[in-house]
Amino acid sequence: MTATPAIEGWFTTGAAPALLGSRCTDCGTVYFPRELVFCKNPACSGETFEEYAFSRTGKVWSYTDAQYQPPPPYVPVADPYVPFALAAVELEEGLVVLGQVADGYGVADLKVGTPVELVVETLYTDDTGDRTIWRWKPVGRSSEPGRSSAVETPGGAG
Amino acid sequence: MNTDVAIAGVGMHPWGKWGRSFVTYGVHAARAALADAGVDWQDVGLIVGGETVRNGYGGYVAGATFAQALGWNGAKVATSYAACATGAQALDTARSRILAGQTDVALVVGADTTPKGFLAPNAGERWDDPDWLRFRLMGMTNPGYFALYARRRMDLYGATQADFAAVKVKNAKHGLSNPNARYRKEVSAEDVLNSAVVSDPLHLLDICATSDGGAAVLLTSLDYARKHGIADPVRIKAISTVTPVFPQTVMDMPNFSTDSSAVVPAQDRTFKESLGDAAYAEAGIGPEDVSVAEVYDLSTALELDWIEDLSLCKRGEAEHLLRAGDTTIGGRIPVNPSGGLACFGEAVPAQALAQVCELTWQLRGQAEGRQVEGARIGITANQGLFGHGSSVIVAR
Ligand SMILES: [Zn+2]
């Protein structure tokens, strides 16, 4: 039994994991999840893409949690259900990417603007073993689980 | 060239959980709109249906389904789907045909029967469908997206959960005597704040339900309305159904991510702001001319976003309007006098039409128990999945 990503090719694993997307070879626009067919830039008709690894850190655009168990195809991991937090994070490539928040952290650890880094953790376990996913983990002054984050300068793509 | 068309009649089937076919609600609403206008179904030259995706083939061809249920009369037919903006897109089709001189009378109908609880994706594994993957990989529900927007208001503008509760209290009061509203009961701030948190910071009572319902609007040319003895009808001045401009940098349901602004810089105006901008430009008016607004309060906090998106106040100031009572009936710019989605719950293909029905009653002075006195110009706004949205301006 080994840990494998819950979805193939969306992120790297290892010591410094990163989201994997694509980059239009004509105009340079980057995409996550990867775009491999048509560049969405209306001024570009590019149809060729190269793999692109995104920056591993960003700032929280906004955040919430799921206090009720989401419906299928969400795979329940605990009985009774344990709520988890979610964050939308703005990366330096100028896009916002959603993800669950790392184990042990909740909304009390986050503010708009909180710096976070990407980690890979177990999402659920099936008959092949642990299935992993990218998550956002608060860094810096508020890195201890359960501690409220210091207020950061609000920022974002709003 | 005058591009106005007349709203000759409006009608609704009350929102609720009636457990009947969407066709029942649509036909009820259509007959109510025809009766309101005093126009016979046999005189309708075009019927446009708002598609419902949850009711099988009949829902996919809603225009024809309603036409057959009303009795085939030889009218031309169209069906529209634009998620939450379905009704507005259907209305736009009807208006265009009238302005092109292809028909004088067009009936627009939307109706839905919706499931209970979270709107979940259809069964089956679909690894290339973002709407399926967001549940599988993140457990991201619709209220989760609403909560992201709400939390930004709190962190950036100092909104509180009590402000969100105050939106619900206001809308519940507005909808008390609306015969088409599903929920007609006063709600206190304590009720909201004591209800379970679904997705922080939103409580159960901050989030709208899904409902059954039907709404219909009968449009005619101004000439037909005059000949038909409809003096001084409410007129459609604008229907904005513009799409976003790349890069779309605001997180949007059901996506995992936004477009990147690294190569093409982000627009000055967001997609939601552009919906209202286009409507104002088409109508030749500004936000200061608006006397009443019906906006898409999927959550209480979203109502505050929309007030700013429609430029009814500056960014970050909607809470000030709310707290001053400006958005309550009797205030400077009443918002959701119908009670909004808070009192209706969402019936997707009918909802944008329901907004137009309400504004029509408001502008005619027929909104009994919830009348905005002297309302002359009304605006609607909503946003749906996959780049859909609408803003309609009506005037009298
Ligand atoms: Zn390109």
Side-chain angles (χ1 to χ4, degrees):
Chain A
M1 293 278 199
T2 52
T4 50
I7 187 160
E8 180 64 37
W10 282 37
F11 57 95
T12 61
T13 56
L19 294 171
L20 284 180
S22 66
R23 183 176 174 277
C24 172
T25 56
D26 283 5
C27 75
T29 296
V30 290
Y31 295 97
F32 179 83
R34 68 187 162 215
E35 173 61 55
L36 296 175
V37 186
F38 300 118
C39 182
K40 295 176 186 169
N41 174 356
C44 176
S45 51
E47 296 185 14
T48 56
F49 299 85
E50 58 195 12
E51 188 170 84
Y52 181 84
F54 283 85
S55 53
R56 299 189 51 251
T57 58
K59 287 190 167 181
V60 169
W61 182 83
S62 195
Y63 53 99
T64 182
D65 58 17
Q67 299 207 9
Y68 286 83
Q69 182 171 299
Y74 175 78
V75 181
V77 289
D79 186 15
Y81 171 73
V82 178
F84 59 90
L86 293 135
V89 172
E90 188 177 17
L91 304 180
E92 66 186 38
E93 289 88 350
L95 79 171
V96 176
V97 179
L98 268 177
Q100 293 184 349
V101 173
D103 273 336
Y105 296 88
V107 292
D109 301 301
L110 302 168
K111 281 282 171 197
V112 170
T114 298
V116 294
E117 69 172 345
L118 187 136
V119 295
V120 169
E121 295 183 342
T122 299
L123 177 63
Y124 58 89
T125 303
D126 62 18
D127 50 16
T128 70
D130 287 347
R131 305 305 298 269
T132 58
I133 198 69
W134 77 89
R135 284 181 173 157
W136 299 113
K137 181 179 172 179
V139 294
R141 280 178 289 175
S142 55
S143 61
E144 276 176 58
R147 290 267 295 271
S148 264
S149 161
V151 177
E152 300 286 338
T153 309
Chain B
M1 179 187 165
N2 188 330
T3 55
D4 292 357
V5 296
I7 299 177
V10 292
M12 290 170 68
H13 182 287
W15 265 226
K17 276 286 181 194
W18 310 109
R20 292 197 286 275
S21 161
F22 77 99
V23 185
T24 310
Y25 314 136
V27 168
H28 179 102
R31 291 203 165 126
L34 290 163
D36 182 42
V39 170
D40 195 281
W41 159 238
Q42 311 258 33
D43 291 340
V44 172
L46 169 71
I47 182 165
V48 189
E51 178 174 336
T52 162
V53 296
R54 294 188 197 85
N55 292 281
Y57 205 92
Y60 300 148
V61 294
T65 299
F66 295 133
Q68 185 177 29
L70 287 159
W72 294 122
N73 70 348
K76 292 178 182 175
V77 64
T79 296
S80 275
Y81 190 69
C84 301
T86 293
Q89 195 188 69
L91 208 59
D92 197 25
T93 299
R95 179 180 70 152
S96 301
R97 297 281 189 95
I98 290 170
L99 292 176
Q102 294 170 341
T103 186
D104 274 326
V105 185
L107 178 63
V108 184
V109 190
D112 208 2
T113 300
T114 38
K116 238 186 155 118
F118 284 128
L119 285 179
N122 297 329
E125 297 211 346
R126 291 193 308 282
W127 290 90
D128 56 356
D129 175 1
D131 197 36
W132 186 86
L133 282 170
R134 63 163 164 142
F135 287 93
R136 179 63 154 230
L137 300 181
M138 298 186 303
M140 188 65 182
T141 60
N142 293 3
Y145 289 90
F146 310 152
L148 292 177
Y149 309 137
R151 179 51 77 175
R152 265 182 82 77
R153 290 204 70 82
M154 295 176 75
D155 283 14
L156 296 183
Y157 311 130
T160 65
Q161 287 173 308
D163 288 325
F164 303 153
V167 173
K168 176 73 174 188
V169 172
K170 168 186 75 78
N171 286 343
K173 200 166 279 174
H174 283 178
L176 272 182
S177 57
N178 187 338
N180 291 307
R182 175 178 173 189
Y183 303 103
R184 275 176 278 165
K185 190 168 155 278
E186 289 232 36
V187 175
S188 71
E190 292 70 38
D191 292 336
V192 181
L193 296 170
N194 290 334
S195 67
V197 174
V198 175
S199 290
D200 178 276
L202 296 178
H203 294 84
L204 188 62
L205 291 183
D206 284 308
I207 298 163
C208 89
T210 59
S211 292
D212 298 359
V217 175
L218 187 77
L219 294 186
T220 71
S221 63
L222 292 182
D223 206 35
Y224 180 95
R226 192 166 44 243
K227 285 179 186 155
H228 202 74
I230 303 171
D232 193 22
V234 174
R235 299 162 183 227
I236 293 197
K237 305 295 285 188
I239 304 174
S240 160
T241 57
V242 295
T243 51
V245 176
F246 180 89
Q248 225 292 39
T249 53
V250 178
M251 180 58 69
D252 207 2
M253 194 163 77
N255 298 332
F256 279 84
S257 60
T258 67
D259 292 333
S260 162
S261 60
V263 171
V264 181
Q267 300 291 313
D268 291 340
R269 303 285 281 167
T270 66
F271 172 48
K272 286 169 72 190
E273 288 169 336
S274 72
L275 286 165
D277 291 350
Y280 289 128
E282 186 179 318
I285 64 160
E288 66 284 356
D289 299 316
V290 171
S291 35
V292 55
E294 281 280 313
V295 305
Y296 226 58
D297 57 322
L298 291 166
S299 83
T300 50
L302 270 169
E303 176 173 306
L304 300 167
D305 285 347
W306 275 120
I307 289 168
E308 295 165 7
D309 293 328
L310 291 179
S311 307
L312 299 174
C313 69
K314 290 200 182 77
R315 185 62 62 190
E317 291 185 355
E319 284 80 9
H320 303 299
L321 264 66
L322 172 75
R323 293 170 195 157
D326 288 350
T327 57
T328 306
I329 294 170
R332 182 171 70 75
I333 171 69
V335 176
N336 285 331
S338 69
L341 291 170
C343 293
F344 276 75
E346 190 187 23
V348 176
Q351 212 67 47
L353 294 173
Q355 293 180 319
V356 172
C357 291
E358 175 66 13
L359 292 183
T360 301
W361 286 315
Q362 289 289 347
L363 269 54
R364 289 175 179 169
Q366 295 175 338
E368 204 181 327
R370 60 183 195 284
Q371 182 64 46
V372 175
E373 291 307 324
R376 305 300 293 179
I377 295 179
I379 189 167
T380 75
N382 69 37
Q383 186 191 3
L385 301 182
F386 307 116
H388 291 108
S390 71
S391 179
V392 177
I393 293 176
V394 296
R396 193 171 182 208

